[in-house]
Amino acid sequence: MRVPFRYFDRSPEVIRLTVLRCIRYPLSLRKVEDLLFERGIDICHETVRLWWNRFGPRFAAEVRRWRAENLWAVPQWRWHLDKVFVRINGETHDLWRAVNHTGEVLEVFATNRRDRKASMAFLKRAIKDIGIGRRQVCGR
């Protein structure tokens, strides 16, 4: 298995700490740079951007997987579909969202159709990505 951190001069723990701060909190790259400087880690905001672009999707998927596994422990865990109208390039589209009981957005899907076929496509995709069986979503 290839190690993703092998070409970087910083330790994997520093890279993980930096990228998880960007994922977890809505901070700018320069704010993350300042926070790390306070801890004695001197890096440039461009390095933070490089690490975010390279490792952000991987760590975000790990966080999503971890949250999904831990949410099963909550007996009242529920999620619902939410539809919002947005304008993209001057055209009105439907933005479908799957939102859990804490208000966290689990999945997003934009479509230019407003019909049952589009909603069912999003529902099937959300069930597949979130990893919940059909019986639990439909409440049967």
Side-chain angles (χ1 to χ4, degrees), residues 88-116:
I88 303 173
N89 292 332
E91 296 180 17
T92 303
H93 294 276
D94 292 344
L95 181 71
W96 295 87
R97 299 182 299 180
V99 182
N100 70 0
H101 68 283
T102 61
E104 182 181 354
V105 177
L106 302 172
E107 188 70 33
V108 178
F109 180 67
T111 180
N112 56 1
R113 296 186 316 247
R114 185 180 177 191
D115 56 0
R116 184 172 192 265

Side-chain angles (χ1 to χ4, degrees), residues 127-140:
I127 290 171
K128 182 178 137 192
D129 289 348
I130 298 170
I132 299 171
R134 176 179 260 159
R135 288 181 65 189
Q136 293 172 340
V137 171
C138 298
R140 292 183 195 165

Side-chain angles (χ1 to χ4, degrees), residues 45-62:
H45 67 279
E46 283 297 316
T47 305
V48 175
R49 185 186 59 79
L50 172 76
W51 291 347
W52 166 252
N53 289 338
R54 179 144 183 186
F55 299 111
R58 175 179 294 166
F59 292 155
E62 288 178 14

Side-chain angles (χ1 to χ4, degrees), residues 45-89:
H45 67 279
E46 283 297 316
T47 305
V48 175
R49 185 186 59 79
L50 172 76
W51 291 347
W52 166 252
N53 289 338
R54 179 144 183 186
F55 299 111
R58 175 179 294 166
F59 292 155
E62 288 178 14
V63 169
R64 252 185 261 112
R65 194 176 321 114
W66 178 81
R67 283 184 180 167
E69 290 171 1
N70 288 341
L71 283 176
W72 280 102
V74 179
Q76 301 92 329
W77 192 82
R78 298 194 193 293
W79 61 277
H80 67 275
L81 295 178
D82 183 18
K83 183 174 74 170
V84 180
F85 295 104
V86 295
R87 294 188 73 85
I88 303 173
N89 292 332

